[in-house]
Amino acid sequence: MMFDRDVIVVGGGPAGIAAAIEAARAGLSVDILEQRPSLGGAIYRQPIEGVAPIRQSRAALNRYAELMSALTAFVVGLRHMSVFLGMDGDGLVLFEDRGAGTVKSLRARAVVIAVGAVETVHPRPGWQLPGVSTAGGLQVMMKETGRPPQRRVLLAGSGPLLVAVAAQMIRLGNPPVAIVEAGDPFGSIRDGLGLLRFPGLLADALSYLLTVVASRTPWQRGTTLMSIERTRSGLEATLKDRNGTMRTMTADRIGLHDGIRANDFGLHPAAIDMPCGPIVIHAGDCREALGAVAAAADGARAGRQVARLLTAASSSTDEIERQLVRERKAQALLAQLFSPVNPPAPLSSLPRDTILCRCEGRTAGDLHSLIGPSDVLSGREVKHNGRFAMGACQGRFCATHVAALMNELRPGHPPVHAKDLIGQRWPLRPTSIAGLTHVASDDIENDQFRKVDANL
């Protein structure tokens, strides 16, 4: 079987870059498929042309500079604006070259999948309204444009990202009207002191926190955003504090965030000892969501593993494994610090008109009417009969919630999982009919490798 490359790395974030470095260091030919015009991923998202980068911590700047400096030492093929669509059992990787408007394919001996994490948002009434987005989406917008979201912005949900986004908004001149945090990171002195074991994490946290405190931005801890309603004065958020007291707050825009999880949507399973087919390794936040430092370390682990399997290289990963254990403990501590004071209500308690599937406009009531305690409909049947997870995202954002509500509505039956609604098929991402009708195998003879430019 002929191969176009030794290694294809899917994703140009910290994990993908680190994996490419280690594979290229071993003398392997490597291509990076990156859907954006520049490397960095969501964590190190680069500004659009002509925009000055927003202020970030010195540690973050140094980490990205070190990655790019190491990458420029090797010849690595960069394929920007290339959206990964899937791969088959023989190692044929399908991707859309959005610059050329064509779907292309490459065959590799090994594929490292490093597609990062996805943001979690719990369904609540009104979360689908115009003006409501994820807090992470607001952060990416600021990194790309150098400008804060305009007018009155409310940040709500749970997790340290809310404080980071608020600090970046403040530094760009538009502080949020409030941060509504379901947890209370100041609630346990013992857990808070645990941050002393992680100086880098503590330094970043203090930098963001001091910015928020100095601006006098309200930080309402132990408070849950229950619902959102469009009124004449804007988006009215109903809030419930730890004592059960309800009140409202009005904003023009709301950024929601309830954590992150591994982006494992429809991915080919990892495989390193198959009798035929490619080596497939997951790396970074799509394997285990542990943050930027761990993502780069896990990418390096994946790159060394590929090199060992393809070239018999003997680079040790012991130090990396120890670092991952440390980062796993750091993330567990953050999860404990930001654990909601009042656990989220079950999905079965949502009002029946609450949207579950945003693409198709399907509600909790639609699912209630489709199944009952005695029904044994499978996830696929619910998808086909009720049109849940049938929209453009194919369940990327709703399948987890739909499966959870199904399990609540029919206790005692075998559990339904998100993958039961999603399935696994090409393409993993929406692509144009025009691109699919111009599928082209990449012309390797005319493809010129180029040395990575640190400014890309």
Side-chain angles (χ1 to χ4, degrees):
M1 183 181 295
M2 296 294 293
F3 295 100
D4 302 317
R5 297 288 184 268
D6 292 321
V7 183
I8 294 173
V9 177
V10 181
I17 295 172
I21 291 169
E22 295 299 328
R25 194 192 308 278
L28 298 170
S29 59
V30 183
D31 267 18
I32 296 177
L33 304 182
E34 168 53 45
Q35 64 182 356
R36 303 292 305 175
S38 60
L39 298 180
I43 293 175
Y44 300 126
R45 181 63 56 89
Q46 299 302 295
I48 59 178
E49 187 175 355
V51 173
I54 67 173
R55 176 184 164 192
Q56 298 188 53
S57 70
R58 184 176 299 275
L61 292 173
N62 288 341
R63 287 194 297 266
Y64 183 63
E66 289 173 4
L67 279 173
M68 294 305 298
S69 176
L71 189 62
T72 57
F74 304 102
V75 175
V76 174
L78 292 183
R79 299 175 181 274
H80 293 296
M81 305 299 291
S82 295
V83 179
F84 176 62
L85 301 179
M87 63 176 293
D88 68 7
D90 292 327
L92 184 71
V93 172
L94 195 73
F95 65 97
E96 181 184 8
D97 182 341
R98 291 193 169 171
T102 303
V103 171
K104 296 182 178 180
S105 63
L106 287 170
R107 195 179 303 276
R109 299 168 65 195
V111 179
V112 177
I113 301 178
V115 291
V118 292
E119 199 166 5
T120 299
V121 176
H122 298 319
R124 62 260 278 176
W127 72 310
Q128 81 286 352
L129 291 172
V132 181
S133 65
T134 65
L138 297 181
Q139 184 183 54
V140 166
M141 182 192 72
M142 288 188 286
K143 289 179 179 180
E144 289 187 337
T145 67
R147 300 174 63 243
Q150 300 301 299
R151 304 182 70 183
R152 300 169 297 174
V153 181
L154 175 66
L155 302 176
S158 184
L161 180 70
L162 293 175
V163 180
V165 173
Q168 289 165 334
M169 288 181 59
I170 292 164
R171 293 166 183 170
L172 290 175
N174 186 30
V177 295
I179 308 168
V180 176
E181 168 60 53
D184 185 2
F186 293 161
S188 171
I189 296 177
R190 179 180 178 181
D191 289 338
L193 291 175
L195 287 173
L196 295 173
R197 292 180 289 148
F198 309 101
L201 184 62
L202 180 60
D204 283 347
L206 286 176
S207 171
Y208 293 135
L209 185 57
L210 290 174
T211 299
V212 170
V213 171
S215 73
R216 298 185 178 181
T217 297
W219 188 19
Q220 300 173 15
R221 300 180 297 280
T223 303
T224 303
L225 190 153
M226 303 298 294
S227 64
I228 305 168
E229 183 179 356
R230 170 70 67 181
T231 68
R232 294 180 64 181
S233 57
L235 293 170
E236 184 177 276
T238 298
L239 312 178
K240 180 180 180 181
D241 69 17
R242 68 182 73 203
N243 299 317
T245 303
M246 309 288 285
R247 61 190 184 84
T248 62
M249 180 175 290
T250 302
D252 301 299
R253 192 163 192 170
I254 297 178
L256 300 175
H257 174 81
D258 295 303
I260 62 171
R261 61 179 176 82
N263 181 17
D264 56 0
F265 178 86
L267 296 184
H268 192 290
I272 61 172
D273 56 358
M274 299 291 287
C276 60
I279 295 166
V280 180
I281 297 177
H282 298 178
D285 282 345
C286 76
R287 186 177 79 92
E288 186 178 8
L290 296 176
V293 174
D298 199 47
R301 174 201 60 81
R304 292 183 188 182
Q305 188 177 13
V306 164
R308 183 171 65 251
L309 292 168
L310 294 184
T311 70
S314 58
S315 299
S316 172
T317 61
D318 291 346
E319 181 181 350
I320 293 175
E321 295 295 346
R322 287 192 292 271
Q323 185 177 7
L324 291 175
V325 169
R326 179 178 174 80
E327 295 301 323
R328 196 171 292 120
K329 291 179 179 178
Q331 291 301 316
L333 176 59
L334 286 176
Q336 180 65 30
L337 284 169
F338 286 88
S339 177
V341 172
N342 295 313
L347 292 175
S348 55
S349 67
L350 287 172
R352 296 295 181 95
D353 60 354
T354 303
I355 294 290
L356 283 185
C357 174
R358 296 173 61 145
C359 294
E360 291 290 318
R362 308 305 288 167
T363 67
D366 293 328
L367 190 57
H368 276 267
S369 63
L370 190 62
I371 65 174
S374 61
D375 284 321
V376 290
L377 292 179
S378 68
R380 295 291 288 176
E381 288 172 324
V382 165
K383 175 175 183 172
H384 294 149
N385 295 337
R387 297 201 61 80
F388 290 95
M390 285 284 280
C393 82
Q394 288 291 288
R396 186 182 298 268
F397 301 107
C398 72
T400 299
H401 306 310
V402 174
L405 181 51
M406 288 179 66
N407 293 331
E408 289 181 20
L409 294 178
R410 52 180 206 181
H413 288 277
V416 176
H417 303 284
K419 65 181 181 181
D420 298 328
L421 286 94
I422 294 170
Q424 184 175 352
R425 63 181 183 180
W426 294 13
L428 295 181
R429 299 282 297 276
T431 187
S432 68
I433 296 297
L436 286 173
T437 56
H438 292 85
V439 176
S441 180
D442 201 51
D443 187 350
I444 301 301
E445 294 182 0
N446 295 326
D447 179 45
Q448 296 297 315
F449 276 116
R450 56 190 173 84
K451 209 166 196 269
V452 177
D453 185 336
N455 294 321
L456 290 174

